[in-house]
Amino acid sequence: MSQELDYLSRRFAAGRLSRREFLGRATALGVSATFANSLLAGAARAQVPQRGGILKAGLAGGAATDNLDPAQFVELPGIFCYCWGEYLVARGLHGGLEYRLAEEIGSSKDAKVWTFKIRQDVEFHNGKTVTAEDVVATLERHSNKGSKSGALGILAGIESLKAGGRDVIVTLKEPNAELPFVMADFHLVIQPNGGKDNPAEGVSAGPYKVTVNEPGVRYGGERFANFWQSDKMGFADQVEILVINDPTARISALQGGQVHMIHRVEPKVVDLIKRVPNLKVETGSGPGNYVFNMFCDTAPFDNSDLRMALKLAIDRQEMVDKILRGYGTIGNDFPINASYPLFPEGIEQRTFDPDKAKFHFKKSGHSGPILLRTSDVAFPGAVDAAQLFQQSCAKAGIAIEVKREPGDGYWSDVWLKQPFCASYWTGRATQGDMYSTAYLSTAPWNDTHFFNERFDKLLIEARAELDEGKRKNLYREMAIIVRDEGGVITPMFNQYIDAISDNVGGYVAGVFSLMNSSAFAKCWLKA
């Protein structure tokens, strides 16, 4: 019974259970009203933020080649940035927008001109005051045609930027009803002079100042004394993130008390962690998906029949059953699921069909093995998933050679560089944002080298369409193009799985892992 009461207390403390619901369920367990009320009082006290200590995490995805330039964020630096970086807006835990440096947002009736009013008296870590000019300079740097920023694709529609007093005025080439959500992209950290001077310095206006920057090893920060929202974030004296790419080592570090949080827990060990005292597992469904990427412009993947053969030769349900173990759903070779607004229902689900796969493979004219690169850091269970893919392809007469790459360097040397590899996406706030980031022909993170004029035209049209019904139809056509002509194989949409110590307070599950990466800024250590 103690486990059930502990579970109920945590849900009440996290705001996921009302007082009445808690008392009702506790009574059903045979607990007296007096004792139940004492538990409620303790749970409430536990959620009062407490200051002090060093909040530690063990995370995957770090490499020696990483740096703190927001334009180049990949993987772990893009999580650490939520400790030190500040944004115009941020993604809310459950899909909405949280206003940050933007105090007000308004637009013209046609959604072509947007105005962001910047909050007053916010200080950068270097002592300078955040101004509208800093915001404009940040957006200029990331939207410049010569930029290598991962946000270039989503900012491509900007025609002009102007600062006037506290206002940032963004004029677009075409209307975009989703622009405020675009501004929540994790690359768009507001920096002094936009980061044009020294973007990798790690200076912004977030709750922690960068004190440790050892790429591939660890990152650290200390509480910023002049943070503008100190009553809501930055409760620990320090934060420390250890790079632990090996999934077993992450769990050992959590069990041994070296860290308080880990992410990307493999589904096959979830039940084991649940049995460990003082640890808890947090899961949530969202737009995250695991993929195998093919370069559409590189042989043999420049052949549409070969791409279709591989899409038909993957057993999606087996992947969900054996890799996700139920913590997810099957995918359909486009990056959108029902967690997105305007999801295109009714698109035929692609299934495992070795006979059709064999037909398309023969039609492609290709012979010999196909090299697939994978790694433990590509996604939890990626090595096992590649081997399952290899086995299902064999049933269609397709030989796959699986190469296991080291975790350190995977995101700099394999992803975006090699023509067939395992990867993952956490998803984005809107469909337009997701497609602009990874499928627009000019997007730096177009990781399948998908270049399709019709798709690009539809994307621009969809972003400009204010009628949601019409925009949904445009997104539907785009999804079908990616599904049938693109280079992405999307066998599954995953739930995220985090594990945290009971010593951590303030954790509330959201749409994305680690409270949308804000857990280190918003959580605290219990006394």
Side-chain angles (χ1 to χ4, degrees), residues 492-524:
M492 48 190 163
F493 283 84
N494 64 290
Q495 292 184 20
Y496 69 80
I497 308 177
D498 300 334
I500 66 174
S501 164
D502 275 349
N503 290 331
V504 174
Y507 187 102
V508 180
V511 174
F512 301 95
S513 173
L514 296 170
M515 296 176 61
N516 299 359
S517 297
S518 68
F520 316 111
K522 295 181 177 179
C523 291
W524 59 86

mmCIF file of all heavy atoms in Angstrom, residues 492-524:
data_model
loop_
_atom_site.group_PDB
_atom_site.id
_atom_site.type_symbol
_atom_site.label_atom_id
_atom_site.label_comp_id
_atom_site.label_asym_id
_atom_site.label_seq_id
_atom_site.Cartn_x
_atom_site.Cartn_y
_atom_site.Cartn_z
ATOM 1 N N MET A 492 8.605 4.235 -36.277
ATOM 2 C CA MET A 492 7.942 4.340 -34.978
ATOM 3 C C MET A 492 8.055 5.741 -34.387
ATOM 4 O O MET A 492 9.034 6.450 -34.596
ATOM 5 C CB MET A 492 8.527 3.327 -33.991
ATOM 6 C CG MET A 492 10.037 3.318 -33.943
ATOM 7 S SD MET A 492 10.696 1.912 -33.000
ATOM 8 C CE MET A 492 12.405 1.908 -33.564
ATOM 9 N N PHE A 493 6.998 6.104 -33.672
ATOM 10 C CA PHE A 493 6.974 7.303 -32.831
ATOM 11 C C PHE A 493 7.123 6.846 -31.385
ATOM 12 O O PHE A 493 6.376 5.988 -30.921
ATOM 13 C CB PHE A 493 5.665 8.078 -33.012
ATOM 14 C CG PHE A 493 5.614 8.868 -34.286
ATOM 15 C CD1 PHE A 493 5.235 8.269 -35.478
ATOM 16 C CD2 PHE A 493 5.956 10.210 -34.310
ATOM 17 C CE1 PHE A 493 5.200 8.984 -36.659
ATOM 18 C CE2 PHE A 493 5.930 10.938 -35.481
ATOM 19 C CZ PHE A 493 5.552 10.334 -36.668
ATOM 20 N N ASN A 494 8.088 7.416 -30.706
ATOM 21 C CA ASN A 494 8.428 6.949 -29.366
ATOM 22 C C ASN A 494 7.849 7.839 -28.280
ATOM 23 O O ASN A 494 7.716 9.053 -28.457
ATOM 24 C CB ASN A 494 9.944 6.930 -29.201
ATOM 25 C CG ASN A 494 10.554 8.322 -29.302
ATOM 26 O OD1 ASN A 494 10.576 8.907 -30.388
ATOM 27 N ND2 ASN A 494 11.059 8.859 -28.206
ATOM 28 N N GLN A 495 7.518 7.236 -27.167
ATOM 29 C CA GLN A 495 7.339 7.998 -25.936
ATOM 30 C C GLN A 495 8.733 8.275 -25.372
ATOM 31 O O GLN A 495 9.632 7.461 -25.526
ATOM 32 C CB GLN A 495 6.538 7.206 -24.904
ATOM 33 C CG GLN A 495 5.093 6.964 -25.265
ATOM 34 C CD GLN A 495 4.341 6.246 -24.152
ATOM 35 O OE1 GLN A 495 4.760 6.248 -22.995
ATOM 36 N NE2 GLN A 495 3.224 5.635 -24.489
ATOM 37 N N TYR A 496 8.916 9.438 -24.765
ATOM 38 C CA TYR A 496 10.182 9.649 -24.081
ATOM 39 C C TYR A 496 10.118 8.943 -22.729
ATOM 40 O O TYR A 496 9.040 8.768 -22.144
ATOM 41 C CB TYR A 496 10.500 11.138 -23.911
ATOM 42 C CG TYR A 496 9.606 11.875 -22.938
ATOM 43 C CD1 TYR A 496 9.815 11.782 -21.560
ATOM 44 C CD2 TYR A 496 8.556 12.657 -23.383
ATOM 45 C CE1 TYR A 496 9.001 12.446 -20.664
ATOM 46 C CE2 TYR A 496 7.732 13.334 -22.494
ATOM 47 C CZ TYR A 496 7.961 13.221 -21.139
ATOM 48 O OH TYR A 496 7.138 13.879 -20.251
ATOM 49 N N ILE A 497 11.279 8.534 -22.245
ATOM 50 C CA ILE A 497 11.362 7.864 -20.939
ATOM 51 C C ILE A 497 12.525 8.484 -20.167
ATOM 52 O O ILE A 497 13.685 8.327 -20.536
ATOM 53 C CB ILE A 497 11.573 6.343 -21.075
ATOM 54 C CG1 ILE A 497 10.518 5.728 -22.007
ATOM 55 C CG2 ILE A 497 11.524 5.684 -19.705
ATOM 56 C CD1 ILE A 497 10.721 4.236 -22.248
ATOM 57 N N ASP A 498 12.205 9.217 -19.109
ATOM 58 C CA ASP A 498 13.192 9.786 -18.203
ATOM 59 C C ASP A 498 13.167 9.005 -16.891
ATOM 60 O O ASP A 498 12.157 8.379 -16.554
ATOM 61 C CB ASP A 498 12.878 11.258 -17.889
ATOM 62 C CG ASP A 498 12.850 12.143 -19.120
ATOM 63 O OD1 ASP A 498 13.522 11.802 -20.112
ATOM 64 O OD2 ASP A 498 12.148 13.180 -19.090
ATOM 65 N N ALA A 499 14.244 9.076 -16.155
ATOM 66 C CA ALA A 499 14.277 8.499 -14.801
ATOM 67 C C ALA A 499 14.920 9.518 -13.872
ATOM 68 O O ALA A 499 15.941 10.115 -14.223
ATOM 69 C CB ALA A 499 15.055 7.189 -14.783
ATOM 70 N N ILE A 500 14.300 9.728 -12.714
ATOM 71 C CA ILE A 500 14.797 10.752 -11.791
ATOM 72 C C ILE A 500 14.773 10.244 -10.353
ATOM 73 O O ILE A 500 14.028 9.327 -10.006
ATOM 74 C CB ILE A 500 13.986 12.059 -11.890
ATOM 75 C CG1 ILE A 500 12.543 11.843 -11.420
ATOM 76 C CG2 ILE A 500 13.991 12.609 -13.301
ATOM 77 C CD1 ILE A 500 11.738 13.135 -11.361
ATOM 78 N N SER A 501 15.597 10.884 -9.558
ATOM 79 C CA SER A 501 15.659 10.567 -8.133
ATOM 80 C C SER A 501 14.489 11.205 -7.403
ATOM 81 O O SER A 501 14.012 12.283 -7.780
ATOM 82 C CB SER A 501 16.982 11.089 -7.561
ATOM 83 O OG SER A 501 16.940 11.142 -6.155
ATOM 84 N N ASP A 502 14.053 10.564 -6.330
ATOM 85 C CA ASP A 502 13.003 11.136 -5.483
ATOM 86 C C ASP A 502 13.477 12.398 -4.778
ATOM 87 O O ASP A 502 12.678 13.130 -4.202
ATOM 88 C CB ASP A 502 12.551 10.114 -4.430
ATOM 89 C CG ASP A 502 11.494 9.168 -4.975
ATOM 90 O OD1 ASP A 502 10.980 9.429 -6.073
ATOM 91 O OD2 ASP A 502 11.195 8.156 -4.303
ATOM 92 N N ASN A 503 14.781 12.656 -4.811
ATOM 93 C CA ASN A 503 15.316 13.875 -4.193
ATOM 94 C C ASN A 503 15.068 15.114 -5.041
ATOM 95 O O ASN A 503 15.365 16.233 -4.604
ATOM 96 C CB ASN A 503 16.824 13.724 -3.955
ATOM 97 C CG ASN A 503 17.136 12.733 -2.850
ATOM 98 O OD1 ASN A 503 16.341 12.558 -1.929
ATOM 99 N ND2 ASN A 503 18.279 12.077 -2.939
ATOM 100 N N VAL A 504 14.556 14.913 -6.238
ATOM 101 C CA VAL A 504 14.290 16.036 -7.136
ATOM 102 C C VAL A 504 12.848 16.494 -6.970
ATOM 103 O O VAL A 504 11.919 15.693 -7.015
ATOM 104 C CB VAL A 504 14.553 15.634 -8.607
ATOM 105 C CG1 VAL A 504 14.133 16.751 -9.561
ATOM 106 C CG2 VAL A 504 16.020 15.292 -8.798
ATOM 107 N N GLY A 505 12.660 17.782 -6.789
ATOM 108 C CA GLY A 505 11.320 18.362 -6.705
ATOM 109 C C GLY A 505 11.018 19.201 -7.922
ATOM 110 O O GLY A 505 11.916 19.711 -8.595
ATOM 111 N N GLY A 506 9.724 19.342 -8.210
ATOM 112 C CA GLY A 506 9.299 20.242 -9.274
ATOM 113 C C GLY A 506 9.185 19.633 -10.645
ATOM 114 O O GLY A 506 8.839 20.335 -11.606
ATOM 115 N N TYR A 507 9.465 18.329 -10.780
ATOM 116 C CA TYR A 507 9.382 17.709 -12.099
ATOM 117 C C TYR A 507 7.924 17.514 -12.493
ATOM 118 O O TYR A 507 7.140 16.932 -11.751
ATOM 119 C CB TYR A 507 10.110 16.369 -12.127
ATOM 120 C CG TYR A 507 10.211 15.761 -13.519
ATOM 121 C CD1 TYR A 507 11.392 15.827 -14.240
ATOM 122 C CD2 TYR A 507 9.118 15.150 -14.109
ATOM 123 C CE1 TYR A 507 11.490 15.293 -15.513
ATOM 124 C CE2 TYR A 507 9.189 14.617 -15.387
ATOM 125 C CZ TYR A 507 10.379 14.686 -16.085
ATOM 126 O OH TYR A 507 10.456 14.162 -17.352
ATOM 127 N N VAL A 508 7.574 17.998 -13.680
ATOM 128 C CA VAL A 508 6.226 17.813 -14.231
ATOM 129 C C VAL A 508 6.379 17.326 -15.669
ATOM 130 O O VAL A 508 7.036 17.984 -16.483
ATOM 131 C CB VAL A 508 5.418 19.127 -14.218
ATOM 132 C CG1 VAL A 508 4.027 18.894 -14.803
ATOM 133 C CG2 VAL A 508 5.312 19.673 -12.799
ATOM 134 N N ALA A 509 5.819 16.183 -15.969
ATOM 135 C CA ALA A 509 5.954 15.622 -17.313
ATOM 136 C C ALA A 509 5.285 16.529 -18.345
ATOM 137 O O ALA A 509 4.245 17.125 -18.088
ATOM 138 C CB ALA A 509 5.329 14.226 -17.360
ATOM 139 N N GLY A 510 5.903 16.632 -19.512
ATOM 140 C CA GLY A 510 5.370 17.450 -20.596
ATOM 141 C C GLY A 510 5.321 16.677 -21.890
ATOM 142 O O GLY A 510 5.335 15.440 -21.905
ATOM 143 N N VAL A 511 5.286 17.403 -22.997
ATOM 144 C CA VAL A 511 5.234 16.779 -24.313
ATOM 145 C C VAL A 511 6.600 16.226 -24.700
ATOM 146 O O VAL A 511 6.700 15.216 -25.392
ATOM 147 C CB VAL A 511 4.761 17.809 -25.367
ATOM 148 C CG1 VAL A 511 4.829 17.221 -26.770
ATOM 149 C CG2 VAL A 511 3.334 18.264 -25.056
ATOM 150 N N PHE A 512 7.667 16.888 -24.249
ATOM 151 C CA PHE A 512 9.024 16.492 -24.600
ATOM 152 C C PHE A 512 9.796 16.065 -23.349
ATOM 153 O O PHE A 512 9.433 16.416 -22.230
ATOM 154 C CB PHE A 512 9.757 17.653 -25.296
ATOM 155 C CG PHE A 512 9.091 18.123 -26.557
ATOM 156 C CD1 PHE A 512 8.219 19.202 -26.534
ATOM 157 C CD2 PHE A 512 9.329 17.487 -27.768
ATOM 158 C CE1 PHE A 512 7.602 19.643 -27.696
ATOM 159 C CE2 PHE A 512 8.718 17.922 -28.932
ATOM 160 C CZ PHE A 512 7.856 19.002 -28.901
ATOM 161 N N SER A 513 10.880 15.346 -23.568
ATOM 162 C CA SER A 513 11.697 14.814 -22.486
ATOM 163 C C SER A 513 12.246 15.911 -21.588
ATOM 164 O O SER A 513 12.491 17.046 -22.018
ATOM 165 C CB SER A 513 12.856 14.016 -23.100
ATOM 166 O OG SER A 513 13.772 13.594 -22.126
ATOM 167 N N LEU A 514 12.467 15.553 -20.306
ATOM 168 C CA LEU A 514 13.076 16.443 -19.316
ATOM 169 C C LEU A 514 12.371 17.794 -19.254
ATOM 170 O O LEU A 514 12.991 18.853 -19.257
ATOM 171 C CB LEU A 514 14.575 16.637 -19.624
ATOM 172 C CG LEU A 514 15.434 15.366 -19.513
ATOM 173 C CD1 LEU A 514 16.827 15.625 -20.061
ATOM 174 C CD2 LEU A 514 15.503 14.876 -18.074
ATOM 175 N N MET A 515 11.021 17.725 -19.203
ATOM 176 C CA MET A 515 10.207 18.951 -19.109
ATOM 177 C C MET A 515 10.545 19.903 -20.263
ATOM 178 O O MET A 515 10.794 21.085 -20.071
ATOM 179 C CB MET A 515 10.425 19.636 -17.760
ATOM 180 C CG MET A 515 9.979 18.827 -16.563
ATOM 181 S SD MET A 515 10.351 19.623 -14.979
ATOM 182 C CE MET A 515 9.411 21.144 -15.087
ATOM 183 N N ASN A 516 10.571 19.356 -21.488
ATOM 184 C CA ASN A 516 10.956 20.156 -22.662
ATOM 185 C C ASN A 516 12.353 20.729 -22.488
ATOM 186 O O ASN A 516 12.641 21.857 -22.901
ATOM 187 C CB ASN A 516 9.959 21.282 -22.935
ATOM 188 C CG ASN A 516 8.562 20.774 -23.239
ATOM 189 O OD1 ASN A 516 8.335 19.571 -23.263
ATOM 190 N ND2 ASN A 516 7.633 21.671 -23.453
ATOM 191 N N SER A 517 13.227 19.961 -21.857
ATOM 192 C CA SER A 517 14.626 20.320 -21.594
ATOM 193 C C SER A 517 14.796 21.399 -20.530
ATOM 194 O O SER A 517 15.913 21.871 -20.296
ATOM 195 C CB SER A 517 15.351 20.758 -22.878
ATOM 196 O OG SER A 517 15.401 19.706 -23.815
ATOM 197 N N SER A 518 13.728 21.778 -19.851
ATOM 198 C CA SER A 518 13.815 22.844 -18.851
ATOM 199 C C SER A 518 13.905 22.313 -17.422
ATOM 200 O O SER A 518 13.872 23.087 -16.467
ATOM 201 C CB SER A 518 12.606 23.779 -18.959
ATOM 202 O OG SER A 518 11.410 23.113 -18.567
ATOM 203 N N ALA A 519 14.051 20.995 -17.250
ATOM 204 C CA ALA A 519 14.053 20.406 -15.904
ATOM 205 C C ALA A 519 15.185 20.954 -15.036
ATOM 206 O O ALA A 519 15.003 21.184 -13.838
ATOM 207 C CB ALA A 519 14.155 18.885 -15.995
ATOM 208 N N PHE A 520 16.346 21.192 -15.623
ATOM 209 C CA PHE A 520 17.477 21.667 -14.824
ATOM 210 C C PHE A 520 17.268 23.099 -14.365
ATOM 211 O O PHE A 520 17.796 23.518 -13.342
ATOM 212 C CB PHE A 520 18.776 21.559 -15.636
ATOM 213 C CG PHE A 520 18.878 20.259 -16.374
ATOM 214 C CD1 PHE A 520 18.800 20.220 -17.752
ATOM 215 C CD2 PHE A 520 19.002 19.070 -15.688
ATOM 216 C CE1 PHE A 520 18.849 19.018 -18.429
ATOM 217 C CE2 PHE A 520 19.048 17.866 -16.354
ATOM 218 C CZ PHE A 520 18.972 17.835 -17.737
ATOM 219 N N ALA A 521 16.498 23.859 -15.130
ATOM 220 C CA ALA A 521 16.216 25.242 -14.758
ATOM 221 C C ALA A 521 15.063 25.339 -13.765
ATOM 222 O O ALA A 521 15.044 26.230 -12.916
ATOM 223 C CB ALA A 521 15.898 26.067 -16.005
ATOM 224 N N LYS A 522 14.090 24.412 -13.862
ATOM 225 C CA LYS A 522 12.866 24.546 -13.080
ATOM 226 C C LYS A 522 12.779 23.623 -11.864
ATOM 227 O O LYS A 522 11.940 23.833 -10.992
ATOM 228 C CB LYS A 522 11.649 24.310 -13.991
ATOM 229 C CG LYS A 522 11.495 25.362 -15.076
ATOM 230 C CD LYS A 522 10.270 25.107 -15.943
ATOM 231 C CE LYS A 522 10.072 26.207 -16.982
ATOM 232 N NZ LYS A 522 8.900 25.968 -17.856
ATOM 233 N N CYS A 523 13.617 22.595 -11.806
ATOM 234 C CA CYS A 523 13.566 21.661 -10.673
ATOM 235 C C CYS A 523 14.525 22.078 -9.562
ATOM 236 O O CYS A 523 15.341 22.979 -9.735
ATOM 237 C CB CYS A 523 13.894 20.244 -11.145
ATOM 238 S SG CYS A 523 12.609 19.505 -12.197
ATOM 239 N N TRP A 524 14.402 21.418 -8.438
ATOM 240 C CA TRP A 524 15.265 21.704 -7.294
ATOM 241 C C TRP A 524 15.553 20.417 -6.530
ATOM 242 O O TRP A 524 14.928 19.374 -6.762
ATOM 243 C CB TRP A 524 14.609 22.729 -6.366
ATOM 244 C CG TRP A 524 13.267 22.295 -5.820
ATOM 245 C CD1 TRP A 524 13.031 21.546 -4.710
ATOM 246 C CD2 TRP A 524 11.979 22.566 -6.392
ATOM 247 N NE1 TRP A 524 11.689 21.338 -4.538
ATOM 248 C CE2 TRP A 524 11.016 21.965 -5.556
ATOM 249 C CE3 TRP A 524 11.548 23.281 -7.511
ATOM 250 C CZ2 TRP A 524 9.647 22.033 -5.825
ATOM 251 C CZ3 TRP A 524 10.187 23.353 -7.774
ATOM 252 C CH2 TRP A 524 9.259 22.738 -6.930
#
